[in-house]
Amino acid sequence: MHAAHVASSSSALSQAATRAEPSYSPFAEALSRLRKNKTAVAGFFIIVLFLAMAILAPVLAPHDPLKQSLYEKLKPPVWQHGGSWAHVLGTDDFGRDLLSRLIYGARISMVVGVVSVSIAFFFGTLAGSVAGFYGGVLDNGIMRFMDLLLAFPSILLAIVIVAFLGPSLQNAMIAIGVVSIPRYARLVRGSVLEEYAKDYVQAARALGAGDGRLIFLHILPNCLAPLIVQTTLGFASAILEAAALSFLGLGAQPPTPEWGAMLANGRALILRAWWAVTFPGLMILFSVLGFNLLGDGLRDALDPRLRE
């Protein structure tokens, strides 16, 4: 009887311990791994800094980014001889405050990233889902068109699209979104093919789920992990390609305070006013670096092969 009581107590304690063990969801587990990745955390804080800069640009900018003053043109940064606290990072050849233009440039770059990635995400996901789900001739047709787009260097194809539509920031965002569609389409198609072969899809079909419900409510939610990573890395590519188009005169037009356009404007001044080129380049560098670091961290955190 005593042994039975001990066994019963042991069983109760075991059940209590089991109930006390925390149950982690896949999202919580991925978030925990992401927090342990120091480079990903650093990338996250860089992105937050640029987002705060973009949102609070009217508050943070000490001057109007478009205001010109020929009496103050090519002022050096405050720590150099001839600099002043009125223009901490100096001025450009039109006397515009460089710090204010850099801060407003963050707003433009973030908008470029959001619009371009949204275009690529929507159309790429739609094309990849249809190709992977239906297969056959439709799959071959869609993916061969994507292969045709991938046959051109992305920046070259973007230049062709902008040259056709006309140079402007809006057309540059459209071009960057279009050239990024194949990346999402190929990624989604592979994920859909993998998920389509699983039992839960066949079970949902047996219960009467239609094609649209199967794709958007059952299959695509299980393809989000690689899409999140691609979207984060896509922001970095969009910012870089927008800066390249603006540098070539095909993106943002003067006097828009866009980092690539500022680089192009300061190119002729590199020997006389190094700050007009250096600081816009550093803004591009750190913004792209932040998204790349976070994207790599998300890839490691969301990869099921790395789960313990």
Side-chain angles (χ1 to χ4, degrees):
M1 183 174 179
H2 179 69
H5 177 71
V6 171
S8 176
S9 300
S10 177
S11 176
L13 288 173
S14 176
Q15 292 176 2
T18 302
R19 287 194 298 269
E21 290 179 358
S23 58
Y24 292 104
S25 66
F27 174 78
E29 186 181 353
L31 185 60
S32 175
R33 284 203 303 272
L34 186 64
R35 288 175 178 172
K36 296 176 183 177
N37 191 325
K38 295 181 179 179
T39 57
V41 172
F44 173 78
F45 280 111
I46 292 173
I47 294 171
V48 169
L49 177 63
F50 278 101
L51 285 174
M53 192 184 303
I55 295 171
L56 302 175
V59 178
L60 298 176
H63 300 279
D64 183 348
L66 303 180
K67 183 180 179 181
Q68 301 181 12
S69 176
L70 296 180
Y71 294 103
E72 297 182 317
K73 69 176 184 178
L74 297 182
K75 286 280 187 179
V78 65
W79 58 84
Q80 279 198 339
H81 178 70
S84 67
W85 285 103
H87 304 286
V88 178
L89 297 183
T91 60
D92 62 9
D93 54 338
F94 290 97
R96 297 171 297 200
D97 183 66
L98 197 61
L99 176 59
S100 301
R101 290 179 64 78
L102 291 173
I103 292 173
Y104 272 89
R107 171 174 288 188
I108 293 174
S109 293
M110 293 300 113
V111 170
V112 168
V114 170
V115 174
S116 303
V117 169
S118 298
I119 293 172
F121 182 92
F122 177 79
F123 290 102
T125 301
L126 184 62
S129 301
V130 171
F133 188 84
Y134 291 104
V137 177
L138 189 59
D139 180 20
N140 285 329
I142 292 175
M143 297 317 297
R144 295 302 74 77
F145 179 69
M146 296 302 163
D147 291 339
L148 179 63
L149 293 179
L150 288 172
F152 296 92
S154 58
I155 188 63
L156 179 60
L157 184 57
I159 290 173
V160 172
I161 296 173
V162 174
F164 177 77
L165 297 176
S168 70
L169 183 61
Q170 292 79 8
N171 292 338
M173 290 188 288
I174 294 173
I176 295 168
V178 170
V179 301
S180 302
I181 288 175
R183 305 172 193 170
Y184 292 85
R186 291 174 66 89
L187 180 66
V188 172
R189 174 184 178 271
S191 299
V192 169
L193 286 174
E194 182 180 353
E195 294 296 323
Y196 186 77
K198 294 184 177 178
D199 293 338
Y200 74 89
V201 175
Q202 307 307 321
R205 183 181 289 281
L207 291 173
D211 292 350
R213 185 179 182 86
L214 284 173
I215 294 173
F216 295 106
L217 295 183
H218 294 279
I219 296 178
L220 280 183
N222 290 289
C223 304
L224 284 180
L227 271 176
I228 291 172
V229 176
Q230 178 59 46
T231 300
T232 307
L233 296 175
F235 268 88
S237 299
I239 292 172
L240 198 58
E241 290 173 0
L245 289 174
S246 297
F247 183 83
L248 296 173
L250 299 173
Q253 301 299 304
T256 305
E258 199 274 337
W259 296 333
M262 293 170 67
L263 274 176
N265 182 64
R267 178 179 49 184
L269 307 171
I270 190 169
L271 297 180
R272 290 193 300 151
W274 58 268
W275 55 90
V277 178
T278 302
F279 293 126
L282 288 176
M283 297 294 277
I284 297 172
L285 168 67
F286 283 110
S287 60
V288 172
L289 177 65
F291 281 106
N292 281 335
L293 291 178
L294 181 60
D296 289 340
L298 285 170
R299 180 183 58 196
D300 295 339
L302 297 173
D303 191 344
R305 292 170 297 182
L306 300 179
R307 294 177 184 171
E308 295 180 359

